[in-house]
Amino acid sequence: MMGPKQEAQAALFYEFSLEDHVPQGHLLRSIDRFVDLSSIRAHLADFYSHTGRPSIDPELLIRMLLVGYCFGIRSERRLCEEVHLNLAYRWFCRLDLTDRIPDHSSFSKNRHGRFRESDLLRHVFETTVARCMEEGLVGGEGFAVDASLISADVQKQNSSNPEEWAARDTDPTTAPRAVREYLDTLNDEVFGAATTVKPKFTAHADPASQWTAARKGPAFFAYSTNYLIDTDHSIIVDVDASRSNKTAEVGAMRKMLDRTEERFGVKPDWIAADTAYGASDNLVWLALKRQILPFIPVFDKGERTDGTFSRSDFTWDDENDRYICPGGKEMRHTWRTYSDPKRNAPVWKSRNYRALKSDCTGCELKAKCCPNAETRSVHRDKYEIVRDFARQCTTSEFNPKAQARRKKVEMLFAHLKRILGLGRLRLRGPCGVQDEFTLAATAQNLRKLAKLKPMERPAG
């Protein structure tokens, strides 16, 4: 028979426990074991007044932000609604059924104030990385680095060319927050001073964003999120925001490597990256200054595509400071004989090595070597010896393994955009962008901890 109609009946007393209503296999239960926010009150002690009304617990705000980034809730207004309704979110945030949810404006007030002044989000991220190290998920032997474009929260219609934007009378005291942050980072290596090339357009609302067409499609305003990961278990050991150009991304890589060694005492034996990091000065910085093996393809413009011999077809003779052409003839940077051999000793500078005209004129390979010139010349970079060392690394037996591990960074970027929903930024300015990237990286590390260190299920 049909049962009675279900109607909600109010009871005088309820016996209810959040702990009993959150499933044992819920993601937040696994994440909660690795969230240690016990130090943030001491970290923020100097940024609160000793008088006045009691403030919202900063741990509650951080826990709510972690929920939002772990589950792809991009809006803080919607995050407050979800925490109000979801029992698991309330349990993770240490809220009872009758506790009030903070207003969404509290996040902006604290983010632009004490959170940013104290660099709290960086502190939370580094605490998570330290926990990953305690769990044995960071080997510290091999790192990988890469950058990914994230669309900025601006439109092309609200932009102008750099000359028109520079001509505007911008008063730092009345300018929007994103413009003030841009003016403060004009000398920063990963923002204003990253490159002298002027973009076609500058966004009025967020001038630090980069106008780019790097995706081989319609150009747009974007920032780059830079990840430095340990390749053992894809743990993000550092994250940094930069403009979307090669110079800024290389500068972010150096900054992250130095900061990781300073904060955690970890320096990798080798690092893997793509060709964007294969410029001569960066390879010198890695191999000579930092003593790190670079498994990075060399950024080389010496390869020809017209069918003639490229520079790689010429054999370098380091002992005699010369090149040997495919025809067996030698090429020197000078054919002059000095009475003092020291005057012709190899030095660290760029040189052009040329063959004799008599050798090239009657050569059978001239049509494939220098069909439009009398003699063939080969340019040797100032730090070509370091570039040759990098080429040896990329042709070694370990390189395929290093490049396979490098792809773990790209998987993290795919997870960032598809699962966490960070395909477009919500905050503006260098500081706001850094906050978003730091929180997203923290959420990814926590989810990785929950996956690799699962909870022990009770028997039965």
Side-chain angles (χ1 to χ4, degrees), residues 364-384:
E364 298 178 354
L365 301 175
K366 187 176 188 305
K368 195 175 180 180
C369 184
C370 52
N372 301 322
E374 294 182 347
T375 61
R376 175 64 187 267
S377 65
V378 174
H379 177 77
R380 185 170 179 82
D381 192 82
K382 177 181 179 180
Y383 298 109
E384 194 67 28

Side-chain angles (χ1 to χ4, degrees), residues 124-382:
V124 173
F125 170 76
E126 292 178 352
T127 302
T128 306
V129 175
R131 182 59 185 270
C132 294
M133 293 180 176
E134 293 176 6
E135 297 292 336
L137 301 182
V138 178
E141 297 178 356
F143 282 2
V145 65
D146 205 353
S148 182
L149 297 178
I150 306 294
S151 299
D153 186 30
V154 290
Q155 297 291 339
K156 181 181 180 298
Q157 290 77 8
N158 190 24
S159 64
S160 59
N161 61 62
E163 289 77 13
E164 294 179 2
W165 192 88
R168 300 174 61 187
D169 187 13
T170 304
D171 186 2
T173 60
T174 59
R177 181 181 292 105
V179 177
R180 296 200 303 269
E181 292 177 4
Y182 167 72
L183 296 176
D184 293 338
T185 57
L186 287 177
N187 297 323
D188 197 325
E189 293 183 357
V190 297
F191 284 103
T195 177
T196 58
V197 179
K198 293 184 178 180
K200 292 182 63 177
F201 298 99
T202 299
H204 299 163
D206 192 358
S209 59
Q210 178 83 38
W211 177 256
T212 178
R215 290 179 179 171
K216 308 300 181 182
F220 60 101
F221 288 102
Y223 283 92
S224 285
T225 175
N226 299 269
Y227 277 4
L228 181 69
I229 74 164
D230 183 87
T231 58
D232 286 353
H233 297 94
S234 303
I235 297 298
I236 305 170
V237 294
D238 207 346
V239 57
D240 201 56
S242 72
R243 299 198 79 181
S244 301
N245 57 66
K246 292 182 180 179
T247 308
E249 292 166 2
V250 170
M253 180 208 69
R254 299 183 183 183
K255 180 180 178 181
M256 291 188 294
L257 282 171
D258 289 340
R259 186 163 51 194
T260 301
E261 184 174 9
E262 177 185 353
R263 302 290 174 86
F264 305 108
V266 176
K267 188 187 80 169
D269 298 328
W270 56 269
I271 188 169
D274 56 23
T275 315
Y277 301 85
S280 297
D281 56 343
N282 190 46
L283 295 175
V284 169
W285 187 86
L286 287 170
L288 297 184
K289 184 177 180 180
R290 305 294 279 115
Q291 302 293 313
I292 300 174
L293 293 177
F295 289 93
I296 304 173
V298 178
F299 185 74
D300 194 356
K301 293 184 178 180
E303 298 298 316
R304 297 187 173 184
T305 58
D306 58 355
T308 58
F309 291 128
S310 300
R311 181 172 53 192
S312 58
D313 297 317
F314 294 78
T315 305
W316 169 247
D317 184 2
D318 186 62
E319 183 178 355
N320 297 309
D321 188 25
R322 63 178 182 174
Y323 274 102
I324 304 299
C325 74
K329 305 297 182 180
E330 65 176 353
M331 305 170 66
R332 296 183 177 274
H333 69 91
T334 179
W335 291 91
R336 182 177 177 180
T337 303
Y338 292 91
S339 58
D340 184 5
K342 294 182 180 180
R343 296 183 62 184
N344 197 28
V347 294
W348 287 72
K349 67 178 183 180
S350 299
R351 285 177 167 177
N352 286 325
Y353 290 77
R354 296 182 178 275
L356 291 174
K357 182 179 179 180
S358 57
D359 292 337
C360 291
T361 302
C363 182
E364 298 178 354
L365 301 175
K366 187 176 188 305
K368 195 175 180 180
C369 184
C370 52
N372 301 322
E374 294 182 347
T375 61
R376 175 64 187 267
S377 65
V378 174
H379 177 77
R380 185 170 179 82
D381 192 82
K382 177 181 179 180

Side-chain angles (χ1 to χ4, degrees), residues 1-125:
M1 57 179 287
M2 182 181 296
K5 183 178 180 181
Q6 183 68 36
E7 294 182 358
Q9 296 181 0
L12 294 177
F13 301 99
Y14 287 96
E15 185 175 339
F16 188 88
S17 174
L18 281 177
E19 182 71 28
D20 298 336
H21 285 75
V22 178
Q24 292 297 323
H26 198 280
L27 176 62
L28 286 180
R29 279 194 180 274
S30 298
I31 290 178
D32 185 66
R33 297 175 297 139
F34 305 107
V35 177
D36 183 11
L37 302 178
S38 59
S39 62
I40 66 173
R41 300 186 68 88
H43 186 81
L44 291 171
D46 296 336
F47 298 90
Y48 281 90
S49 174
H50 297 288
T51 60
R53 292 168 49 192
S55 66
I56 300 173
D57 187 1
E59 180 176 347
L60 170 60
L61 297 179
I62 296 298
R63 284 182 173 273
M64 289 181 65
L65 287 173
L66 290 178
V67 168
Y69 278 84
C70 283
F71 291 93
I73 304 174
R74 306 286 295 117
S75 169
E76 288 165 357
R77 189 186 298 268
R78 178 168 168 256
L79 174 63
C80 293
E81 296 174 356
E82 292 292 334
V83 174
H84 175 72
L85 295 173
N86 194 301
L87 296 180
Y89 295 172
R90 279 184 172 271
W91 173 86
F92 181 79
C93 296
R94 306 295 190 262
L95 292 171
D96 200 357
L97 287 177
T98 58
D99 291 335
R100 294 185 60 183
I101 307 299
D103 189 76
H104 64 89
S105 61
S106 303
F107 294 97
S108 300
K109 295 274 187 183
N110 285 273
R111 178 171 55 245
H112 298 313
R114 54 181 65 94
F115 284 6
R116 192 162 292 170
E117 294 170 1
S118 65
D119 207 7
L120 177 64
L121 301 182
R122 166 64 56 175
H123 173 74
V124 173
F125 170 76

